[in-house]
């Protein structure tokens, strides 16, 4: 069963969690001076509109019309009740998922890519630079740039550039340019950290270019709140007063934040972050100021971190291989408003295959972490004989990750 | 702009074009005797319900409830107005497309796979065998079998099995078994014809197994009419009285038939089949009785054909590489109710890239043939200064065909 909203019912304002936090977020610090960064420090990299959103105290921020026009190419996205999965589990729980895989790039990433492209275009930026791991974010930004007539330069982690060519092709189909990172060492496999360094250096060195980040920052999570806002309305259509638990996979935190932040003020709603045991930022990291990149060029952010030089194993859920986490997510976990769990890969792919064989669709490895946690919540409800309303984020499809399924089905998956 | 119907608004009966044809279809002939085949000849391969649908004179045939339940996992599919493409073309035409890419298998194929799995399950079949080229049909049937608890054996054209592993992985993710065809010659690259022969031989040799075909036959096109029926309702919601032209790409004819057949009785609606110049069945083939497979095991069908031993060049639109065409489609073209056009590959991919850079989504190479024709219709309308309502079938996404885009973007496409 699916609940669709009409294109007219798309949320017209983003939900800003900042004024609703019990404690204000500590400010980002300048990497050199370790003083709080101001708008002027960020102006070489971001348009003023986004810098403003990064620290805004407004509870709601209007979505510009041209952004809505593009989002309506695929939004509102469906809310689906996973009845066949419920039946297979024999659970009294009702499992819902919010399907962000229907976007042109196949994930939630375009929600912020479109907004960032728009604000940059408005302020006269001609070109955007960014980093990408397996290519989800790079392809989303290239898509957004194609619609706002901006040039797009993507620095892609070299290991992925060679081994996973398909999202590179997507980036190029939408007109973006993509090169392997690090650019100055053809023997280095690269990491998100090196690619961020390359992209920031590019933007800092050119007047016509800004930098664009696909996760972690407050304005990115803000743009993603359309996910949770729509889900709330759709749950009401489905006759649910509120979910008991909202679950999202967490890499940098944008998918998780987009779904969960609108539920932060709601009493009795548990929020759960799911991460891989091989990159256990929230479950085993420390809370501290750390750099967003490997080279130490970004501001220092107050977050859970495994250390900016941490290189996680090459698991298939490339989007979850980040040493840090969004400051907003980190604050929610630290303050006890959000829980965090970690799963090893084999258990994640078992859940993904069970989902495919009941609900039909093949999920991204990142998304499958949330599926795993949702199934375990549903099984716990069965154990307790308790009804429970479970909502999880279906952040992307796995059609460009089929190698991972092949490895799992044929016993070649490294269970990191 | 999109028009969504609710899951309750899914069509509950299929549209049967057979009693609406101006002349009855010539019967299929037995490959040995050349006499018309009867139900008993087909019973080793198909369940009686499908054999009945193959020759039914009922104008409407009810969709069984359990089939509706599964179709509602993704149906009704969206009807989208391609406004950004219209703007880029500067055309007064209004271009709509019916998006079948949202199914779990990524194409229109599950519409009939689900029905076929259901009827087989009802009549006690335990296992289905089928052929697949690049894997669209095999993955759709494996998906459907997983939901009705049937075993699924897929014979995949050997060249695709080796070079395009991803749909093989999809088949396996849904629990199906897949082997390269021909099974008896590991050096032969295979073709749809050899794979049909393998699959028919498998089903004919086992009591617990039926055969399943993904296109060409009357009952397959019947099941696909949900596409056109929904599109009609959605066009009405969009305020359109009727389309001036309805366009679909044509391999065996199931996508094309599904979209166009409900429009056959409607005056003033042109119907257009689009095929590749490298496999020009409708535009350059002859109308004759011919086998559906290479080995000559299937009944002889009255259709346009390039000869059952025709091996088309290895173009990326694998779903359009078939020597014949559905008898229904052949009759409509022969009788003048439907037009046919053919395009070379380079012009098809130019259209696909223009579509991706305006509307966002990356289409299957098969689908891109319809996009090309729709763009040319819109440009003709511009030339004439005429309003025109264009509807085309967006039969599938191109996320497992990115190699084709890579070849096109880097000048490596063979322009067959």
């Amino acid at each position: 069963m699916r609940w669709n909203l009409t294109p007219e019912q798309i949320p017209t304002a983003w939900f800003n969690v900042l004024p609703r936090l019990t404690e204000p977020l500590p400010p980002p610090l300048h990497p050199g001076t370790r003083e709080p960064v101001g708008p002027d420090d960020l102006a070489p990299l971001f348009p003023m509109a986004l810098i403003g959103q990064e620290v805004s105290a407004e509870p709601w921020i209007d979505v510009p019309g041209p952004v809505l026009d593009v989002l309506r190419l695929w939004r509102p996205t469906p809310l689906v009740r996973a009845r066949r999965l419920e039946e297979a589990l024999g659970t009294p729980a009702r499992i819902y998922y919010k399907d962000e895989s229907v976007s042109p790039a196949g994930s939630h990433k375009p929600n912020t890519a479109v907004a960032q492209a728009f604000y940059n275009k408005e302020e006269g930026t001609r070109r955007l630079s960014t980093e990408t791991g397996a290519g989800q974010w790079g392809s989303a930004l290239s898509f957004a740039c194609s619609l706002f007539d901006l040039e797009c330069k993507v620095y892609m982690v070299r290991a992925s550039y060679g081994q996973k060519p398909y999202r590179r092709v997507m980036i190029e189909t939408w007109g973006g340019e993509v090169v392997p990172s690090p650019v100055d060492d053809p023997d280095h496999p690269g990491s998100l950290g090196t690619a961020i360094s390359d992209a920031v250096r590019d933007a800092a060195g050119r007047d016509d270019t800004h930098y664009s980040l696909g996760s972690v920052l407050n304005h990115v999570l803000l743009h993603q709140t359309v996910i949770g806002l729509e889900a709330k309305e759709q749950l009401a259509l489905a006759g649910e007063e509120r979910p008991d638990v909202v679950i999202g996979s967490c890499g940098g935190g944008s998918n998780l934040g987009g779904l969960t932040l609108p539920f932060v003020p709601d009493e009795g709603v548990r929020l759960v972050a799911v991460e891989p045991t091989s990159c256990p930022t929230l479950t085993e990291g420390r809370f501290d100021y750390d750099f967003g990149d490997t080279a130490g060029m970004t501001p220092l952010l107050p977050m859970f971190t495994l250390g900016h030089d941490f290189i996680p194993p090459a698991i298939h859920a490339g989007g979850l291989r980040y040493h840090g986490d969004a400051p907003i997510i980190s604050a929610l976990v630290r303050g006890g408003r959000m829980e965090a769990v970690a799963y090893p890969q084999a258990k994640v792919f078992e859940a993904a295959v069970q989902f495919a064989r009941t609900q039909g669709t093949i999920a991204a490895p990142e998304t499958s972490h949330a599926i795993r946690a949702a199934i375990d919540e549903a099984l716990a409800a069965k154990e307790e004989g308790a009804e429970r309303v479970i909502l999880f984020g279906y952040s992307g499809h796995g059609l460009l990750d089929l190698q991972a399924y092949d490895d799992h089905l044929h016993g070649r998956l490294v269970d990191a």
Side-chain angles (χ1 to χ4, degrees), chain A:
Chain A
M1 201 59 196
R2 282 171 303 140
W3 286 269
N4 291 321
L5 300 172
T6 68
E8 294 78 31
Q9 291 172 295
I10 193 171
T12 56
W14 291 302
F15 176 92
N16 187 11
V17 80
L18 293 179
R20 280 116 165 166
L21 294 176
T22 47
E23 284 184 51
L25 283 188
L29 304 182
H30 192 282
T33 63
R34 296 210 159 219
E35 294 294 316
V37 297
D40 290 351
D41 296 312
L42 298 172
L45 295 183
F46 301 105
M48 289 313 293
L50 295 179
I51 294 171
Q53 289 175 3
E54 196 61 22
V55 294
S56 172
E58 296 296 324
W60 294 92
I61 295 175
D62 283 347
V63 186
V67 173
L68 289 175
D69 280 349
V70 174
L71 294 182
R72 284 196 182 103
L73 286 173
W74 72 94
R75 301 205 75 85
T77 63
L79 180 80
V80 188
R81 177 150 172 210
R83 274 191 193 272
R84 286 171 185 268
L85 177 62
E86 292 169 15
E87 281 164 27
L89 298 172
T91 178
R94 298 191 289 284
I95 307 175
Y96 296 86
Y97 62 94
K98 179 67 171 163
D99 185 2
E100 292 296 306
S101 74
V102 299
S103 82
S107 76
H108 66 291
K109 291 289 187 191
N111 295 328
T112 184
V114 170
Q116 293 190 43
F118 166 78
Y119 287 118
N120 273 288
K121 183 75 178 181
E122 279 282 290
E123 296 189 22
T125 313
R126 206 183 58 72
R127 181 174 172 277
L128 288 179
S129 71
T130 197
E131 75 291 335
T132 201
Q136 284 102 329
W137 169 243
S139 58
L141 191 68
S142 180
F143 154 69
C145 285
S146 82
L147 297 193
F148 287 102
D149 200 21
L150 290 167
E151 282 184 39
C152 180
K153 174 77 169 267
V154 180
Y155 295 88
M156 187 169 184
V157 173
R158 178 170 276 107
S160 295
Y161 184 91
Q163 289 160 22
K164 300 187 174 180
Y166 296 114
R167 285 205 182 85
R168 168 181 66 70
V169 180
M170 292 176 81
I171 293 169
E172 292 177 340
T173 298
W174 283 309
E177 187 193 346
V178 50
V179 293
S181 167
V183 290
D184 54 5
D185 182 356
D187 296 324
H188 192 300
S191 70
L192 272 179
T194 70
I196 293 175
S197 300
D198 277 336
V200 168
R201 201 177 288 121
D202 178 316
R206 286 181 61 154
D207 280 348
D208 65 346
T209 300
H210 271 158
Y211 168 66
S212 181
L213 189 65
S215 192
V216 178
L217 299 181
N218 300 348
H219 69 267
V220 178
L221 274 61
L222 174 78
H223 301 155
Q224 294 290 359
T225 58
V226 289
I227 304 172
L229 292 170
E230 288 179 6
K232 274 192 157 183
E233 249 183 277
Q234 290 164 310
L235 280 175
L237 288 178
E240 303 291 359
E241 201 185 330
R242 58 167 175 72
D244 294 294
V245 56
V246 183
I247 299 167
S249 62
C250 185
S254 77
N255 156 63
L256 174 69
L259 181 66
T260 59
L261 295 187
F263 292 96
V264 164
D266 300 356
E267 269 183 54
V269 179
R270 291 169 52 218
L271 309 178
V272 178
V274 193
E275 58 185 20
T277 49
S278 59
C279 193
T281 317
L282 294 169
T283 50
E284 298 192 26
R286 69 180 193 281
F287 185 88
D288 201 356
Y289 270 103
D290 198 5
F291 296 106
D293 68 329
T294 306
M297 296 175 65
T298 71
L300 291 153
L301 298 173
M303 60 183 179
F304 281 96
T305 176
L306 296 161
H308 65 274
D309 52 359
F310 177 81
I311 304 284
I315 60 168
H316 284 291
L320 306 186
R321 295 175 69 243
Y322 187 62
H323 68 274
D325 260 312
I328 287 174
I329 297 296
S330 298
L332 291 170
V333 170
R334 195 162 178 237
R337 179 66 188 91
M338 184 180 280
E339 308 159 35
V341 294
Y343 284 109
Q345 296 304 286
K347 287 184 75 68
V348 165
F349 279 96
E350 278 165 27
V353 170
Q354 180 169 32
F355 191 85
R357 293 184 184 176
T358 51
Q359 293 299 124
T361 56
I362 295 175
E366 293 84 352
T367 305
S368 303
H369 286 71
I371 295 175
R372 173 78 267 166
I375 287 176
D376 284 358
E377 288 282 345
L379 291 174
K382 179 183 180 180
E383 192 85 12
E384 299 162 28
E387 280 198 28
R388 193 166 295 167
V389 178
I390 300 168
L391 168 65
F392 75 87
Y394 195 91
S395 52
H397 64 64
L399 297 174
L400 298 180
D401 302 284
L402 288 166
Q403 185 62 53
Y405 281 83
D406 203 22
D407 290 349
H408 170 68
L409 291 168
H410 295 101
R412 295 189 301 263
L413 193 75
V414 178
D415 192 19

